[in-house]
Amino acid sequence: MKRHLLSAADLSRDDAELVLSTAAELRSLADRPIKKLPALRGRTVVNLFFEDSTRTRISFEAAAKRLSADVINFSAKGSSLSKGESLKDTALTLEAMGADAVVVRHGASGAPHRLAHSGWVRSSVVNAGDGTHEHPTQALLDAFTMTRHLGSLDGRRVAIVGDVLHSRVARSNALLLATLGAEVTLVAPPTLLPVGVDSWPVETSYDLDAVIPKADVVMMLRVQRERMNGGFFPTPREYSRRYGLDGRRMATLQDHTIVMHPGPMVRGMEISADVADSDRSVIVEQVTNGVAVRMAVLYLLLGGAQPVGGDE
Ligand code: NCD
């Protein structure tokens, strides 16, 4: 593995498989009464969140704590400094505190790259979501969840549906799933597909009903209205009718097909409540797996050589 995890494209197939197999070992911990390992004792992980997020921050926090690292949560939201200055000043502060890993979420695409390559910090940088760009640990936890249900992803068909334009989850998934041999189809209205999607390793479609009966995985994306200023689709009702997953559409899926969502869901918009709560939905499991996958990432970036169980 490289020193930083900024993009799903940083991961070779071997790297990605190493993260997934390490996560599988660590996942067994989630079912034990004592969930802690000494692997990162004495190491410091800083969660640097410039954007609102509960689930991702808590997930990284739980992951670091289960490996016995010290965790500092740095919520930089509301800072009035200009972005370049505030990022640099914050970075220097973190460096002075002796951070070994910085987990960063930022509203600007590219902020984690800036942090990693500026020379401001010596720590490993993990991208926990930057603007509409990437969210590599989400893609890893999604791939992990898929392999637990489907085995190898080679030749598996994954439909990623909805607001691809604003979704860092979609981009990271497209890249990682291609690395792992899956075939991805992005399904969205034309207004919610990004310019340049032709260069992604995916197919695209505007027709949800045509795609999902062949899919092994249907991943629904939240419509990110906070990043929109109108005009992307006629009405929420019309959006749900064409691109929402409801019980009627779910009935057209193959028996083994799973339904995923990175959260937070907007029930009734991209996914109906009965689908979200159905047996096919692995949405809650994605959250559990997220902790194991982030433990694996932190462990491989920081601990590395020793066996994961340790013997201290
Ligand atoms: C996603 C994100 O923030 O990119 N959520 C997450 O990390 N679990 C997707 C979203 O906000 O819809």
Side-chain angles (χ1 to χ4, degrees):
M1 292 252 295
K2 297 187 178 170
R3 183 152 68 97
H4 307 294
L5 178 58
L6 303 174
S7 161
D10 292 340
L11 299 166
S12 66
R13 187 163 182 155
D14 281 350
D15 291 337
E17 283 172 354
L18 179 63
V19 174
L20 300 182
S21 62
T22 305
E25 275 185 67
L26 293 165
R27 174 69 171 73
S28 57
L29 221 87
D31 303 324
R32 285 194 229 148
I34 295 170
K35 302 191 191 332
K36 220 160 162 145
L37 290 175
L40 296 185
R41 197 148 70 195
R43 302 305 202 89
T44 299
V45 175
V46 174
N47 285 324
L48 180 60
F49 278 62
F50 290 86
E51 213 187 50
D52 283 332
S53 164
T54 319
R55 97 185 45 221
T56 303
R57 185 185 57 72
I58 291 176
S59 180
F60 272 105
E61 185 171 353
K65 286 183 169 164
R66 284 184 197 172
L67 293 170
S68 308
D70 294 320
V71 181
I72 301 173
N73 288 316
F74 200 119
S75 171
K77 202 175 171 260
S79 161
S80 58
L81 294 167
S82 80
K83 275 180 188 150
E85 275 171 348
S86 79
L87 194 61
K88 179 171 182 180
D89 287 340
T90 311
L92 296 176
T93 308
L94 302 178
E95 183 66 14
M97 284 178 191
D100 295 294
V102 179
V103 176
V104 58
R105 167 164 290 202
H106 201 291
S109 303
H113 287 76
R114 187 84 204 276
L115 197 59
H117 299 305
S118 59
W120 299 328
V121 292
R122 271 169 297 181
S123 45
S124 290
V125 176
V126 180
N127 181 0
D130 62 328
T132 58
H133 179 234
E134 282 222 39
H135 195 356
T137 60
Q138 178 71 43
L140 283 164
L141 78 88
D142 291 336
F144 181 81
T145 306
M146 290 177 211
T147 54
R148 281 174 69 91
H149 288 269
L150 303 169
S152 165
L153 300 184
D154 259 316
R156 291 293 194 174
R157 292 184 169 153
V158 181
I160 301 180
V161 184
D163 184 2
V164 178
L165 179 64
H166 300 103
S167 179
R168 49 203 178 202
V169 175
R171 185 189 299 263
S172 289
N173 261 290
L175 294 170
L176 183 67
L177 288 167
T179 302
L180 293 172
E183 291 168 20
V184 175
T185 304
L186 304 176
V187 186
T191 49
L192 289 177
L193 281 174
V195 175
V197 76
D198 311 346
S199 66
W200 296 25
V202 297
E203 306 274 301
T204 56
S205 170
Y206 307 138
D207 185 351
L208 185 58
D209 291 311
V211 171
I212 59 173
K214 295 189 217 113
D216 301 294
V217 177
V218 179
M219 182 186 296
M220 303 307 296
L221 300 173
R222 185 171 66 88
V223 179
Q224 300 194 29
R225 300 183 87 171
E226 77 277 18
R227 296 191 201 271
M228 297 182 189
N229 41 21
F232 288 96
F233 48 84
T235 62
R237 203 182 145 89
E238 173 67 8
Y239 179 89
S240 311
R241 199 179 64 74
R242 297 208 44 195
Y243 293 101
L245 188 61
D246 58 9
R248 180 188 65 76
R249 284 203 165 104
M250 188 170 71
T252 69
L253 303 182
Q254 301 174 73
D255 287 345
H256 68 269
T257 300
I258 55 172
V259 173
M260 305 180 73
H261 194 303
M265 289 185 266
V266 185
R267 289 173 183 244
M269 182 72 178
E270 70 272 5
I271 191 165
S272 66
D274 55 332
V275 174
D277 299 330
S278 75
D279 290 346
R280 291 178 182 280
S281 158
V282 297
I283 297 167
V284 178
E285 194 191 318
Q286 285 173 265
V287 178
T288 307
N289 293 341
V291 177
V293 164
R294 289 171 175 130
M295 287 172 79
V297 166
L298 292 172
Y299 174 77
L300 291 168
L301 291 178
L302 295 184
Q306 310 93 357
V308 95
D311 54 7
E312 290 181 73

